[in-house]
Amino acid sequence: MEAILFYLTATVAIISAVFVTQCRNPINSALNLITTFLCLAVFYIMLESPFMAAIQIMVYAGAIMVLIVFVIMLLNLGLAVKERYTHGIAGAGVLSALILFVANYFIRYGEATGTGGSVTSEVISSYGHTELIGRAMFVDFLLPFEIASILLLVAIVGAVILSKREV
Amino acid sequence: MFKEFAKGLSITLKHLLPGNCTTVQYPKQKLEMAPRFRGLHRLISTEHREKCVACYLCPTVCPAKCITVVAAENEAGEKYPEVFEIDMLRCIFCGYCVEACPMEAIEMTSAYEMANFSRDDFDFGKERLLKS
Amino acid sequence: MITVNHYLLLSAILFAIGTFGVLTRKNAIVIFMCIEVMLNSVNLTFIALSRHVGNMDGQIFVFFVMTVAAAEAAVGLALMIAFFRNKESIDTDDFNMLKW
Amino acid sequence: MTPEVLTLSETPWLFTGVMLVKIIVAFVATLLIVAYATYAERKIIGRMQSRMGPNMTGPKGLLQPIADGLKLFFKEDIIPSQAHWFAFILAPMMILAPAFISISVIPFGGDLQFTYDGTLYAVPMQITDLNIGVLFIVAMAGLGVYGIVLAGLASNSKYALLGGIRSTAQMISYELAVGLSIVAIFMLSETLSLRGIVAAQQQPLWGLESVSFIPNWYIFCQPLAFVLFVIGSMAEINRTPFDLPEAETELVSGFCTEYSAMKYALFFMAEYANMITVSAIASTLFLGGWGGPFYGWINFLIKVFAFMFFFIWIRATFPRLRYDQLMFLGWKIMLPLALVNIVITGIAILLW
Amino acid sequence: MAANTETMTINMGPQHPSTHGVLQLILELDGEIVVKATPHIGFLHRGIEKLSEHRTYHQIIPLTDRLDYLAPMSNNLGYVLAVEKLLGITDEIPERVQRIRVIMTELTRLKSHLVWLACHALDIGAMTVFLYCFRERECITDIYEKVSGARMTSNYFRVGGLADDLPDGLEGDIRAFAESIPEHIEEYEGLLTGNRIWQKRTIGVGEISAEAAIDIGITGPSLRASGVDWDLRRDNPYSGYEDYDFDVPVRTGCDTFDRYRVRLDEMLQSARIILQALDKLKPGPILADCPKVVLPPKQDVVNNIESLIHHFKIVTEGFKTEPGEIYQGVEAPKGELGFYLIADGSAYPFRMKIRPPSFVNLQGLPQMVEGKLLADVIAVIGTLDIVLGEIDR
């Protein structure tokens, strides 16, 4: 059951990711990217992280992609594509294949290790994923969290300045 | 601010109550037209002929030029309209023909439902005008 | 049985696709979207490994990645709009002056 | 004897069957309410405007929604030649799907108990109880915007484009205020599950036994959040006075200018489905869900219908806001108010 | 950073729900802000001015109904007053005729303003007001029908008098209607005036200063809302308006909201004038004693050979006037409606020039909307109260 769901979703995710890179029209790329994001949200649920899935949809699909689509709409890029590729298509293909190969090698012959924690499926189901995230974020990672919020503020100010009519 | 919003809402709510409906259920229920209503024309007839004597006042006065009259004489030597035709597509229902007629031979009825399927059906000849 | 290796392989594939897109496309917005694919594949790795080792730290990192992605989206798209205003294009070939 | 909870692992067939029944019941009920919401809207607005509304098709015009549906179904489906056909077809589906999906996490009644094979089972009257229910709804509301954006973009018409741009800006800005007003609710309830939120509202008001007949509905302790939520959700589902994306006197018909036949009908269904969703969420979060004097789901339906009547009533009464005023209201009034509300709620929770 | 921004040209009309007919506006938008607005007119041109040169003076009256089709009686009045002035029979018009003309034109003003309020409110999104206004307008069309026989194109006034006397019992109807006006206006105001959304949509929208309004030639309520106290009924009275006691509402806000208030006040004043005229209405003849101009009574035509000859002569040839030029302006609901007639001594006008208020008022539109938002264009079109039948003629 789980395996079927995994392979199905993975296939959709990979195909739509390929379409993101290959579509002539940026709008189609954006639509495919949304599909990829939704597939990833499904994976997060399968990994017992429902909160991350909700955030994935809210932030990526609900905010970032809307912004991108909005910009495509504003700039009316539907027909603005002149040429699709640079000359480096061969090099890019080789590079990507290399990445894939190396990663594949490590995954196959290596083993995922790390500092083992106490968060098991039982802990998640009894304690709640949202609560765990909240605890980790506001106790262990409070300073990085505040820094991230300042980063967002700076980004907003920068975006406003950049997109203003007259500077 | 909220008082005004509430006032507006109360006005619409008041109209929601039964008895505030002003609709006339048209095809089922028809309004009585006023006596002066300027609808479809009618030629008035006496016992054996139409009252019209083909004096050509109505085609002359018509601002839309929609009336065609051809005069003829009958056996008794009286003038009568051999052709009396109103093109209802041109007619603007101004009522001048009624006003101009010295014989009171034409009048306007309260018929206003004149929809039809072909343009020819809007040429009202003498027979149709006498019957209407 | 789906193990963590499946997720890692999937995210490697997505990362490679994203890299390919970034390197080959000319349209800045499409490049931007390919970068998002790469970031998301990393997110998937983080969450899969976090579940594998039973530690929440990985998931917190996903939050920061999302923050960075949001900031990047805001600034990047603003840059594109500003650039489009001047050049009527967002092709990377036209990004060839050092100053605007 | 405490009832058993159905699970997929122990009684797979019974679980699947019960789930299917729940989904079908909820879906059909929603569709019926959607159909008759159009009828009710036309009838109520008609009466408020001193006219009759539909009254020819069937007794009192009750078959009108069906006639409309048939008519739209058999109309010619036009796709403009210069339109982006894929997105053009996708848009109405993308706006309708999230609206219906949101229904799945809304509890419309308490537990239903039944005996099967000698065991007493309890079935919650809710398709599924996610422990991130509220977030799920917010996420789905975020997806709803794509339908309108794509419709505006794919139509390749300037009016549709303007409508799309307006609605994107509008939905993004009001989502924030709505989301933040909900935050205050789950600060009080300490759960994100909608079922948990409803359960938390069944106690007497503020734990006072002397007024035990008043339930602890969050509207009493969060009136500001309630007002913000209702206004914000009106804006998010594009109802008057915030119906700028389709403002027919300005943008002809906004994002659905180029749509016809069934696709157009889908937009309308989505509008009403959204209205139902929003009413259901508002009754769940602020008015105690299924709690009340009558039997579970009847209370819930009464509350939902009351909200829908309110939305219709507003539509009959108020003029439309302007784009900049809408943005002003969203960003400069509602967002700060929602933040202030959160701060006050936080302080209040700390103190008591 | 040099910002060169692309504007978007949008074609609003001639098929658009809120251009009040077949007005076409070419709008250049920067985002939602209007950079330039160019009205294109002429889609409803029927050549009424040219047609008039081939109609007798009498036959032109039904054409004037179709100028501003929301206020036909005002157009009739302007035209017959101009012809009467040309003929020099202005002083011979019986008193009853003048009273009835005033009653009917003030009812017309109410009718026109009701349609204006209905459409203006609908444009801004308050759709209920639309139906309420049309409910009241229906009473006026009923009165029209009883008086003249048509609900819109009345064709009721004649050179030298009226087509017919008021039917029995209609005075009571008119009185009852005029007395109910303040109550109805209170209802509209309850829905609109105090409403914050309505105020936000109208206050400060479509501003035009008094100087600019005078320069362009704007007249009527739009001028009075800019603080210019000018009303032809009071300042250049015709048809016995000097006998009535009424106020000319003037406001100084120059914006859409004040134009709305001015028109609502005008409706109250119209009701006042109607009631006064009904009080002063006495029995009397309804045609001037000018046998060369007015048609003789029907019973005389059959019985009296002299009347018959007059009847035939007037109907077939029309009546001739002295050569000359004449201008007559009246305060139509939308502003000053003027008829400029050049007569060459024949039975046809040599030239008839109409000064339609909507046409002149429309020229203020670009000035009022430039720099404002797209939604304000709709509000401004509504507030100018244009009728394309009159603009294109």
Side-chain angles (χ1 to χ4, degrees):
Chain A
M1 193 76 179
E2 201 193 346
I4 297 171
L5 189 57
F6 177 85
Y7 286 117
L8 207 66
T9 320
T11 319
V12 174
I14 290 170
I15 290 174
S16 50
V18 170
F19 273 121
V20 171
T21 62
Q22 298 303 310
C23 275
R24 190 172 279 276
N25 192 326
I27 275 294
N28 284 352
S29 292
L31 286 176
N32 282 303
L33 189 54
I34 295 165
T35 318
T36 315
F37 288 162
L38 293 181
C39 292
L40 285 173
V42 173
F43 291 132
Y44 296 168
I45 290 172
M46 286 163 70
L47 287 165
E48 290 170 291
S49 313
F51 186 76
M52 296 316 295
I55 294 296
Q56 165 86 4
I57 296 179
M58 275 166 67
V59 174
Y60 271 115
I64 295 181
M65 284 316 292
V66 171
L67 204 59
I68 291 179
V69 174
F70 196 62
V71 168
I72 295 175
M73 187 150 79
L74 272 181
L75 304 186
N76 198 13
L77 294 176
L79 303 165
V81 187
K82 280 187 261 171
E83 291 168 75
R84 283 165 80 195
Y85 302 114
T86 51
H87 306 295
I89 185 162
V94 168
L95 188 60
S96 323
L98 197 67
I99 289 173
L100 195 56
F101 178 76
V102 171
N104 199 7
Y105 180 84
F106 282 123
I107 290 164
R108 182 150 303 175
Y109 299 105
E111 194 183 339
T113 55
T115 320
S118 54
V119 186
T120 54
S121 295
E122 290 72 46
V123 174
I124 289 179
S125 59
S126 71
Y127 204 59
H129 185 245
T130 316
E131 283 81 352
L132 285 172
I133 291 266
R135 176 145 308 214
M137 180 167 260
F138 292 109
V139 176
D140 304 340
F141 290 89
L142 188 59
L143 185 65
F145 176 76
E146 294 298 336
I147 293 173
S149 53
I150 290 171
L151 171 69
L152 275 180
L153 181 68
V154 171
I156 292 169
V157 174
V160 169
I161 296 291
L162 277 173
S163 51
K164 264 183 89 157
R165 286 281 150 74
E166 285 91 27
V167 179
Chain B
M1 178 166 96
F2 295 104
K3 213 179 99 197
E4 275 81 22
F5 281 143
K7 193 177 168 196
L9 287 171
S10 74
I11 289 174
T12 40
L13 191 65
K14 207 173 69 200
H15 281 81
L16 185 63
L17 302 175
N20 277 311
C21 188
T22 50
T23 315
V24 177
Q25 292 297 311
Y26 162 60
K28 290 183 190 161
Q29 180 194 352
K30 284 179 185 169
L31 287 176
E32 186 76 10
M33 301 319 284
R36 285 182 192 173
F37 186 74
R38 304 200 302 253
L40 185 63
H41 305 73
R42 171 165 62 196
L43 284 179
I44 298 171
S45 55
T46 56
E47 296 90 71
H48 44 90
R49 59 161 290 187
E50 60 285 323
K51 228 171 161 182
C52 176
V53 294
C55 67
Y56 286 96
L57 275 195
C58 46
T60 314
V61 80
C62 181
K65 306 287 173 222
C66 68
I67 308 179
T68 315
V69 179
V70 176
E73 265 184 33
N74 63 7
E75 307 83 54
E78 294 166 335
K79 267 177 89 183
Y80 78 102
E82 192 179 11
V83 175
F84 193 101
E85 207 173 77
I86 301 181
D87 183 354
M88 287 297 165
L89 289 175
R90 286 193 67 118
C91 180
I92 59 170
F93 298 94
C94 63
Y96 274 1
C97 46
V98 181
E99 214 165 90
C101 184
M103 298 303 292
E104 296 190 335
I106 187 168
E107 66 174 20
M108 291 177 111
T109 62
S110 58
Y112 53 89
E113 289 161 319
M114 282 177 281
N116 240 325
F117 287 102
S118 80
R119 300 186 78 89
D120 294 338
D121 290 336
F122 288 96
D123 283 335
F124 278 64
K126 196 166 70 171
E127 285 70 35
R128 282 177 81 185
L129 287 171
L130 278 166
K131 259 183 273 170
S132 64
Chain C
M1 184 60 194
I2 302 300
T3 62
V4 67
N5 283 357
H6 288 81
Y7 287 106
L8 293 183
L9 187 59
L10 173 66
S11 71
I13 294 170
L14 287 179
F15 192 85
I17 294 171
T19 318
F20 183 76
V22 169
L23 293 177
T24 54
R25 292 301 295 260
K26 275 185 160 183
N27 190 321
I29 284 193
V30 177
I31 291 176
F32 188 81
M33 288 194 270
C34 294
I35 294 174
E36 295 292 332
V37 172
M38 292 164 73
L39 286 176
N40 264 281
S41 73
V42 174
N43 282 356
L44 183 61
T45 321
F46 268 126
I47 291 182
L49 283 173
S50 149
R51 288 291 303 120
H52 179 68
V53 301
N55 195 325
M56 291 309 280
D57 296 3
Q59 306 201 9
I60 302 300
F61 264 92
V62 174
F63 262 101
F64 295 132
V65 173
M66 284 185 184
T67 315
V68 171
E72 178 207 341
V75 177
L77 291 175
L79 276 176
M80 276 175 219
I81 288 178
F83 186 75
F84 188 82
R85 285 218 185 105
N86 286 295
K87 298 285 277 189
E88 302 263 315
S89 151
I90 53 165
D91 261 28
T92 38
D93 284 0
D94 297 327
F95 285 43
N96 52 7
M97 338 164 265
L98 284 172
K99 66 179 175 68
W100 290 348
Chain D
M1 187 163 96
T2 47
E4 295 279 318
V5 177
L6 281 171
T7 50
L8 184 60
S9 47
E10 279 162 31
T11 49
W13 292 111
L14 189 60
F15 179 82
T16 316
V18 168
M19 265 320 220
L20 273 179
V21 168
K22 279 198 289 191
I23 290 170
I24 289 169
V25 165
F27 186 67
V28 169
T30 313
L31 273 183
L32 270 180
I33 298 175
V34 165
Y36 279 91
T38 61
Y39 172 76
E41 167 146 47
R42 290 169 66 182
K43 207 74 182 168
I44 291 171
I45 290 188
R47 288 288 179 175
M48 282 177 170
Q49 297 175 341
S50 75
R51 58 192 173 86
M52 300 285 279
N55 65 344
M56 285 297 174
T57 327
K60 300 249 172 214
L62 274 171
L63 297 179
Q64 188 67 42
I66 297 163
D68 284 345
L70 278 178
K71 175 213 161 203
L72 285 168
F73 195 74
F74 287 114
K75 268 188 83 164
E76 186 191 353
D77 197 12
I78 298 166
I79 297 178
S81 59
Q82 296 298 306
H84 186 291
W85 65 271
F86 179 67
F88 191 80
I89 294 171
L90 195 65
M93 304 175 198
M94 274 187 89
I95 191 171
L96 191 60
F100 276 114
I101 291 174
S102 305
I103 303 277
S104 63
V105 292
I106 290 165
F108 41 87
D111 283 356
L112 188 72
Q113 298 191 344
F114 70 101
T115 316
Y116 178 80
D117 211 10
T119 322
L120 185 67
Y121 291 107
V123 179
M125 286 174 81
Q126 180 182 17
I127 292 175
T128 177
D129 182 27
L130 294 182
N131 57 1
I132 48 154
V134 180
L135 282 184
F136 181 78
I137 284 171
V138 175
M140 284 303 133
L143 286 186
V145 71
Y146 283 110
I148 293 179
V149 174
L150 285 182
L153 187 55
S155 299
N156 200 10
S157 145
K158 284 174 181 171
Y159 285 113
L161 185 71
L162 279 174
I165 291 177
R166 277 184 176 191
S167 75
T168 319
Q170 174 178 340
M171 287 177 102
I172 292 177
S173 30
Y174 277 83
E175 219 175 274
L176 272 176
V178 170
L180 288 177
S181 70
I182 298 178
V183 167
I185 294 298
F186 50 74
M187 282 168 79
L188 285 177
S189 70
E190 298 182 355
T191 173
L192 285 173
S193 148
L194 286 166
R195 204 167 186 78
I197 290 174
V198 173
Q201 295 181 60
Q202 306 301 330
Q203 280 93 31
L205 186 61
W206 299 316
L208 301 173
E209 292 303 325
S210 51
V211 287
S212 59
F213 56 92
I214 306 178
N216 186 24
W217 290 356
Y218 286 141
I219 184 175
F220 298 124
C221 34
Q222 292 288 347
L224 182 60
F226 177 71
V227 171
L228 290 177
F229 181 82
V230 171
I231 295 177
S233 46
M234 262 196 283
E236 229 189 304
I237 60 174
N238 301 329
R239 293 281 304 178
T240 318
F242 307 102
D243 60 340
L244 295 162
E246 48 166 311
E248 72 262 15
T249 48
E250 291 159 26
L251 299 180
V252 189
S253 201
F255 59 89
C256 44
T257 307
E258 305 292 332
Y259 279 87
S260 66
M262 209 53 212
K263 293 205 202 75
Y264 185 70
L266 288 183
F267 278 116
F268 263 71
M269 279 168 72
E271 185 183 334
Y272 287 95
N274 272 323
M275 200 160 97
I276 293 168
T277 315
V278 161
S279 311
I281 295 166
S283 356
T284 308
L285 291 182
F286 292 95
L287 295 183
W290 70 81
F294 306 108
Y295 183 70
W297 56 272
I298 300 177
N299 289 324
F300 182 69
L301 275 188
I302 288 172
K303 285 167 193 168
V304 169
F305 289 158
F307 264 107
M308 289 172 71
F309 175 76
F310 180 69
F311 287 146
I312 292 171
W313 189 14
I314 292 279
R315 178 169 177 199
T317 311
F318 292 142
R320 184 182 303 120
L321 276 169
R322 206 171 60 199
Y323 184 58
D324 58 329
Q325 293 161 354
L326 182 92
M327 287 295 153
F328 182 88
L329 182 68
W331 286 103
K332 296 202 178 156
I333 298 176
M334 287 183 53
L335 193 60
L337 276 180
L339 287 172
V340 166
N341 190 40
I342 290 175
V343 171
I344 291 172
T345 313
I347 292 171
I349 290 173
L350 276 184
L351 291 182
W352 286 287
Chain E
M1 194 159 34
N4 59 342
T5 49
E6 205 183 344
T7 57
M8 177 187 199
T9 308
I10 191 164
N11 175 23
M12 192 171 169
Q15 291 173 11
H16 186 280
S18 55
T19 48
H20 292 221
V22 286
L23 173 68
Q24 184 187 24
L25 278 178
I26 305 291
L27 297 175
E28 265 182 43
L29 297 181
D30 178 15
E32 287 231 354
I33 296 166
V34 179
V35 180
K36 191 160 176 273
T38 320
H40 286 217
I41 59 171
F43 292 95
L44 199 59
H45 179 66
R46 292 147 302 169
I48 285 179
E49 284 179 5
K50 191 72 191 169
L51 272 176
S52 321
E53 291 167 20
H54 301 276
R55 297 283 183 281
T56 63
Y57 287 105
H58 191 55
Q59 283 175 327
I60 293 169
I61 299 173
L63 297 184
T64 62
D65 283 336
R66 287 150 177 85
L67 284 173
D68 175 359
Y69 39 78
L70 298 175
M73 296 254 196
S74 296
N75 306 335
N76 287 172
L77 181 71
Y79 175 72
V80 296
L81 284 179
V83 178
E84 279 162 10
K85 212 167 169 183
L86 194 62
L87 289 164
I89 58 167
T90 308
D91 298 332
E92 293 169 45
I93 307 300
E95 195 195 336
R96 184 175 172 83
V97 172
Q98 295 203 348
R99 298 272 186 253
I100 293 177
R101 280 179 179 178
V102 166
I103 293 171
M104 295 320 289
T105 41
E106 291 305 318
L107 276 177
T108 306
R109 189 180 313 278
L110 279 172
K111 191 180 174 189
S112 171
H113 282 0
L114 281 170
V115 176
W116 159 79
L117 180 59
C119 298
H120 188 36
L122 185 70
D123 286 349
I124 295 185
M127 56 176 172
T128 302
V129 181
F130 181 84
L131 272 295
Y132 292 174
C133 289
F134 266 69
R135 183 183 62 196
E136 270 73 75
R137 178 180 182 262
E138 195 63 19
C139 299
I140 303 178
T141 40
D142 281 345
I143 293 169
Y144 264 43
E145 185 190 317
K146 284 175 187 156
V147 166
S148 69
R151 296 172 74 81
M152 270 183 78
T153 50
S154 56
N155 189 19
Y156 180 54
F157 298 160
R158 294 285 182 273
V159 178
L162 303 167
D164 211 337
D165 203 349
L166 291 183
D168 291 337
L170 192 71
E171 285 169 42
D173 289 359
I174 297 174
R175 185 181 294 276
F177 177 73
E179 278 165 358
S180 72
I181 282 290
E183 185 189 320
H184 291 309
I185 287 183
E186 202 177 316
E187 200 170 73
Y188 312 143
E189 290 215 71
L191 280 168
L192 299 176
T193 309
N195 191 319
R196 270 298 287 274
I197 303 176
W198 178 262
Q199 289 178 356
K200 284 208 145 203
R201 284 301 302 277
T202 51
I203 291 177
V205 169
E207 284 174 321
I208 190 156
S209 65
E211 292 77 40
I214 292 171
D215 285 350
I216 293 169
I218 290 175
T219 47
S222 308
L223 180 69
R224 290 193 280 276
S226 292
V228 182
D229 191 5
W230 176 252
D231 188 322
L232 282 181
R233 289 177 293 173
R234 186 197 57 201
D235 299 324
N236 189 8
Y238 53 88
S239 203
Y241 266 110
E242 60 274 17
D243 298 348
Y244 306 107
D245 176 28
F246 63 97
D247 301 327
V248 177
V250 176
R251 282 177 187 270
T252 49
C254 310
D255 58 6
T256 305
F257 186 66
D258 272 10
R259 287 189 277 270
Y260 156 79
R261 296 291 294 275
V262 162
R263 285 199 176 93
L264 282 190
D265 292 346
E266 269 187 17
M267 283 161 78
L268 289 172
Q269 298 301 327
S270 289
R272 243 177 100 191
I273 297 174
I274 291 170
L275 290 175
Q276 290 175 35
L278 282 170
D279 288 339
K280 291 180 180 173
L281 192 62
K282 293 185 203 71
I286 54 140
L287 283 171
D289 185 21
C290 310
K292 298 237 185 273
V293 175
V294 300
L295 289 173
K298 266 285 165 68
Q299 61 269 26
D300 285 7
V301 175
V302 196
N303 301 330
N304 185 338
I305 185 69
E306 199 180 335
S307 292
L308 186 67
I309 291 168
H310 272 306
H311 186 87
F312 262 78
K313 231 176 125 54
I314 293 168
V315 167
T316 50
E317 291 170 10
F319 45 82
K320 293 196 172 57
T321 59
E322 293 297 311
E325 298 179 12
I326 207 81
Y327 176 81
Q328 172 69 43
V330 293
E331 186 73 24
K334 293 170 177 63
E336 179 180 343
L337 172 69
F339 284 90
Y340 180 65
L341 283 169
I342 303 178
D344 57 358
S346 72
Y348 307 98
F350 178 74
R351 171 88 171 93
M352 180 169 87
K353 168 81 179 87
I354 304 162
R355 181 217 187 268
S358 298
F359 178 72
V360 184
N361 290 355
L362 180 65
Q363 295 179 40
L365 181 101
Q367 198 170 335
M368 285 154 120
V369 300
E370 273 162 25
K372 297 285 171 60
L373 289 156
L374 178 61
D376 292 337
V377 177
I378 309 297
V380 169
I381 293 176
T383 188
L384 280 174
D385 193 13
I386 50 169
V387 164
L388 269 293
E390 188 175 64
I391 291 174
D392 296 340
R393 304 196 285 292

